[in-house]
Amino acid sequence: MSMQPKGPSEVPAETVRVARAAFPKGSLAIRVRDELGPLFTDEEFADLFPARGKPAWSPGRLVLVLVLQFVEGLSDRQAAEAVRARIDFKYALGLELDDPGFDFSVLSEFRDRLVDADAGRRVLDGILIASREKGLLKTVGRARTDATHVLSSARELSWLEMVAETLRSALNGLAQAAPDWLAGVAEPDWFKHYATRAEDSRFPKARARRDEVGLRIGRDGMRLLTAVFAADAPTGLGTLAEVETLRQMWVQHFHLVGGEVRRRDPKDRPPGAARLVTPYDTEARGSVKRDTLWDGYKVHLTETCEPDTPNLITNMATTVATVHDSVTVPEIHDSLAERDCLPGEHWVDAGYPTAGQVVAARRDHGVNLHGPMATNTAASADGPFGQDAFTIDWDREQVTCPNGATSTQWHHRHSQQGLPVIRVRFNPADCRGCPHLRACVNSPTAERRSLNLRHRDEHEVVQAARAEQRTDAWKDRYKIRAGVEGTISQGVGRCGLRKSRYRGLAKTSLQHQLTGAAINLARIDAHLTGTPRARTRTSHFAALRPADQTIDGAK
């Protein structure tokens, strides 16, 4: 397929006439076209196609079809049918009434092109650029960010199902690549155990019997790997994706003890960030947040929150499930800076801000990052001998305790997490004779007090933030962040945000870029029609709660 770029086309007169007659009050697709004009051009996606070949359908129009598909929750077949049959779609795309459209498979192929070129963000950017030109996007103000879990498109598997399906997937891959070789290597009972899906098998209920099945699968997989990497095996079998997945899964769950295959102890397995959870989506990871356990990914939404313009999503960041929220802050700010969407104030929940992130956001981008700063959880954090009770002289590199003793050591070190800290220690001679030693130190045998301090800029940021967050004024300002949870709810209800449609991080990320673009179009349409923002729903019983009573019943 090739692409010959064409400039933005006007809506054909006959399409305009019929659309106005069919939709006298307009529709989302018609209003968006009238307000924002052609959102995407062919030139923006010219690099997705070769210079020669059969002409492709307009990529600028295909992108808009993908966004409208997410707006209305359509399948590929339904979206292609809408282009052929719906007048409002033809109006938005600028097509003649008799335009036959395209086969639904074109959408899947085009999504693959977007993924291969890492062009998903261009979709969201196109909506933002058009919105800024129309005065619907104000970026110098406030923004808010929150994250939610995303389930992998692959079904969650038990441990026995996972290892059995991994071996079955490898056998199927080898059967395609080297059928004659595999027929000579396969054990007779492999056809009995791995010819059908593991979910169709009936695994034993007894724990001992299940362990035996697991070891049998482990031995079979080890035999297969040994044969694949043998000197007389056909070249290239070890590079098959299914075989590499089998190798990784077996390294993570099995090992040899005295020449026998044994299952690894849970403490001997890799951390969650490296551990495979399914052979059919090797980038998905298992994670837990409070009572929610899931296999898949995580998506971070950033949106504007100004009262006189629609709240538009300015950034969608997709990560694997094990990435902590705070790690994404620099990436989010860099992405917002690239598209000129940096806010003055960025409101987040407790998972995002750290002292280092707050300092870096202000230093690198001029953004004030606001969010509940974690409290000091050390055993000696509070009380008369907590860290805040010590006086720090940064210039002289000394710390004075509440009883007047000064520190004798000041060293720059790194914490267990690799972060730079300052380790301060007092003289044992000064601490031994102190009557408050046991109340000052954590260890019953310690003879002196020591402190771990952040660097000065981070320390002062934390102290100031904790003091500010105790005020009613800050708590009232922080209420602005709560609205982003409604955005997540809208994304879940309209676009299936918490379930990946595709396999792999790249395709899931494209899904989220399309979701952000779809929500923006829906919100622009609501702004044009004067639809008020929904209020937080309250159940009838909850509405009866006295004003001075909290949810948990405390007064």
Side-chain angles (χ1 to χ4, degrees):
M1 302 292 286
S2 66
M3 195 268 291
Q4 291 80 37
K6 300 178 181 178
S9 59
E10 296 296 327
V11 183
E14 185 64 10
T15 302
V16 173
R17 185 186 69 80
V18 175
R20 299 298 183 200
F23 295 91
K25 296 183 179 181
S27 70
L28 182 148
I30 293 175
R31 284 188 291 267
V32 166
R33 173 68 190 230
D34 289 341
E35 180 67 19
L36 302 180
L39 290 171
F40 308 100
T41 63
D42 290 349
E43 289 80 3
E44 296 176 63
F45 304 93
D47 58 316
L48 273 61
F49 296 85
R52 295 183 177 182
K54 181 180 179 181
W57 216 72
S58 165
R61 286 170 171 157
L62 282 176
V63 173
L64 183 56
V65 172
L66 290 177
V67 177
L68 292 175
Q69 175 186 15
F70 273 68
V71 169
E72 301 197 10
L74 304 177
S75 66
D76 286 355
R77 288 180 182 271
Q78 291 171 330
E81 184 66 24
V83 174
R84 282 192 295 272
R86 285 179 51 174
I87 297 173
D88 57 336
F89 268 54
K90 291 183 180 295
Y91 185 98
L93 297 169
L95 296 176
E96 298 284 355
L97 293 178
D98 58 354
D99 192 291
F102 52 83
D103 186 78
F104 73 94
S105 62
V106 171
L107 291 177
S108 177
E109 179 188 353
F110 185 65
R111 281 195 300 268
D112 289 339
R113 293 180 182 272
L114 289 173
V115 170
D116 293 340
D118 194 21
R121 210 173 76 174
R122 302 183 202 174
V123 181
L124 182 60
D125 288 351
I127 306 292
L128 297 177
I129 292 171
S131 300
R132 181 181 281 112
E133 292 175 350
K134 296 296 182 177
L136 298 174
L137 175 62
K138 294 183 179 180
T139 55
V140 181
R142 296 173 297 177
R144 54 198 178 195
T145 295
D146 203 358
T148 189
H149 62 277
V150 180
L151 300 178
S152 169
S153 61
R155 184 176 68 87
E156 184 178 354
L157 303 174
S158 68
W159 183 78
L160 279 179
E161 289 178 322
M162 180 175 62
V163 293
E165 277 298 296
T166 302
L167 180 52
R168 192 179 75 88
S169 174
L171 289 170
N172 282 328
L174 290 168
Q176 287 184 297
D180 296 335
W181 174 85
L182 182 60
V185 169
E187 300 286 343
D189 61 344
W190 288 7
F191 298 97
K192 172 184 175 182
H193 296 305
Y194 312 117
T196 59
R197 286 187 279 185
E199 63 189 52
D200 297 332
S201 303
R202 291 187 178 182
F203 293 115
K205 293 183 178 180
R207 177 63 179 272
R209 294 287 305 282
R210 293 175 69 87
D211 290 344
E212 291 177 6
V213 172
L215 290 176
R216 184 255 298 164
I217 297 173
R219 289 190 295 268
D220 292 344
M222 201 70 75
R223 289 195 197 100
L224 181 61
L225 287 171
T226 301
V228 165
F229 291 100
D232 58 346
T235 304
L237 295 185
T239 62
L240 294 176
E242 297 87 350
V243 173
E244 174 60 20
T245 301
L246 175 67
R247 188 193 65 80
Q248 293 183 29
M249 191 75 76
W250 255 237
V251 168
Q252 294 178 7
H253 292 276
F254 298 101
H255 62 158
L256 292 174
V257 179
E260 294 290 331
V261 176
R262 293 288 183 265
R263 184 180 177 183
R264 287 187 184 274
D265 186 87
K267 294 183 179 180
D268 192 31
R269 295 172 195 165
R275 194 182 309 153
L276 302 179
V277 294
T278 173
Y280 301 117
D281 190 351
T282 56
E283 292 180 295
R285 294 294 182 266
S287 189
V288 58
K289 183 176 182 180
R290 292 188 288 273
D291 295 333
T292 303
L293 293 88
W294 79 99
D295 293 340
Y297 306 93
K298 189 186 293 185
V299 60
H300 303 261
L301 303 88
T302 302
E303 66 174 1
T304 60
C305 46
E306 297 302 322
D308 54 342
T309 55
N311 294 338
L312 299 183
I313 294 175
T314 53
N315 192 71
M316 299 285 285
T318 308
T319 67
V320 296
T322 53
V323 174
H324 194 271
D325 293 350
S326 63
V327 178
T328 65
V329 173
E331 176 188 344
I332 292 173
H333 286 161
D334 290 343
S335 179
L336 291 173
E338 289 178 12
R339 50 168 60 102
D340 194 25
C341 290
L342 278 172
E345 296 181 356
H346 190 185
W347 294 87
V348 295
D349 67 13
Y352 288 92
T354 64
Q357 302 290 19
V358 173
V359 171
R362 190 175 301 166
R363 179 190 65 235
D364 299 339
H365 298 291
V367 174
N368 292 317
L369 182 64
H370 294 285
M373 193 67 67
T375 58
N376 193 337
T377 57
S380 58
D382 300 321
F385 300 100
Q387 190 176 103
D388 293 344
F390 288 71
T391 303
I392 306 173
D393 188 335
W394 296 99
D395 296 328
R396 299 178 61 186
E397 296 186 347
Q398 280 188 338
V399 176
T400 304
C401 81
N403 289 332
T406 58
S407 62
T408 57
Q409 296 182 27
W410 178 288
H411 300 294
H412 292 269
R413 298 287 188 265
H414 285 83
S415 67
Q416 293 179 348
Q417 293 76 29
L419 301 176
V421 296
I422 299 171
R423 187 158 298 158
V424 176
R425 290 182 176 180
F426 287 80
N427 192 329
D430 295 333
C431 294
R432 285 196 198 100
C434 178
H436 304 291
L437 176 61
R438 297 276 68 87
C440 185
V441 300
N442 295 329
S443 172
T445 60
E447 296 183 351
R448 63 176 173 181
R449 178 64 185 268
S450 61
L451 300 173
N452 285 332
L453 304 176
R454 297 179 176 88
H455 282 207
R456 183 173 185 174
D457 53 355
E458 295 183 6
H459 180 86
E460 292 175 347
V461 161
V462 170
Q463 297 302 313
R466 288 174 179 166
E468 182 184 18
Q469 290 166 15
R470 287 191 288 266
T471 65
D472 292 337
W474 187 90
K475 294 176 182 178
D476 187 63
R477 292 174 62 203
Y478 185 67
K479 293 178 181 178
I480 190 67
R481 192 212 67 85
V484 73
E485 296 172 356
T487 301
I488 292 176
S489 177
Q490 184 179 13
V492 172
R494 180 182 286 272
C495 305
L497 181 65
R498 286 201 178 111
K499 175 71 173 180
S500 178
R501 299 186 179 192
Y502 318 110
R503 296 179 181 178
L505 180 62
K507 288 189 176 182
T508 302
S509 178
L510 173 61
Q511 172 186 334
H512 294 153
Q513 300 296 333
L514 292 170
T515 296
I519 292 176
N520 282 349
L521 286 192
R523 290 186 168 184
I524 290 172
D525 181 64
H527 178 77
L528 295 175
T529 57
T531 304
R533 297 172 184 173
R535 298 175 61 87
T536 302
R537 289 175 291 184
T538 304
S539 69
H540 297 294
F541 178 69
L544 300 178
R545 185 175 63 247
D548 61 342
Q549 187 179 33
T550 60
I551 293 178
D552 60 2
K555 293 284 186 99

